[in-house]
Amino acid sequence: MAEHYRQPPLDADRALSAARKWLGEESPAYPHFALAFVEGEVSGLASVAIAHPGIDLERLLFLKDLFVRDKARDAGVGRALIGFLADHCLREGIGRIDLTSEDWNEGAQRFYDRLGAERHGQKVFLRLSGEALKAIIPRP
């Protein structure tokens, strides 16, 4: 996934340590991962978080990342991961899956369109990072 986003690969020991912490030591509210295997090899992953918006409102599953290795693309791996997540939502009373896509990732947008995802024009995706994070820290 790091390669896809044009970042250096993550050190394997650091990745394993983080995964153990996320999956074993922290609250279930933290991100969850679904893995897809093809012939015993990890071929895709989904990183998700379940949000509890408020009293009497349905929970939602936020799909942070869906990634399928190049050699497994167009083989149903992404559809299988989304199907797994949809089944989980229905079994657990989670009302929807929300997700985003980079504006340049036309392949992902076509994939989600084929699944029946609706373009939700009521929200704008925003981000606070870097200098903006530093600028909003309360000053003593």
Side-chain angles (χ1 to χ4, degrees), residues 29-138:
Y30 281 80
H32 300 280
F33 300 90
L35 299 175
F37 292 85
V38 175
E39 298 178 1
E41 182 178 304
V42 175
S43 296
L45 71 83
S47 171
V48 303
I50 298 170
H52 305 266
I55 297 172
D56 296 331
L57 297 175
E58 64 186 7
R59 294 181 299 158
L60 68 95
L61 184 144
F62 178 72
L63 176 62
K64 169 65 176 87
D65 281 301
L66 177 70
F67 181 77
V68 176
R69 289 188 172 191
D70 285 339
K71 65 183 180 180
R73 298 212 174 175
D74 298 319
V77 173
R79 181 177 261 291
L81 281 165
I82 295 291
F84 173 82
L85 297 174
D87 181 61
H88 176 76
C89 287
L90 293 173
R91 282 185 292 107
E92 299 297 323
I94 298 169
R96 69 183 196 259
I97 297 175
D98 283 353
L99 56 104
T100 63
S101 168
E102 282 80 11
D103 58 359
W104 53 263
N105 196 339
E106 294 174 4
Q109 292 170 31
R110 285 191 304 271
F111 171 72
Y112 294 125
D113 287 343
R114 285 193 307 271
L115 293 177
E118 302 167 12
R119 307 275 170 129
H120 198 280
Q122 295 176 344
K123 296 189 181 199
V124 174
F125 179 71
L126 303 167
R127 177 176 292 155
L128 292 168
S129 63
E131 293 302 314
L133 281 179
K134 293 174 188 173
I136 60 175
I137 295 172

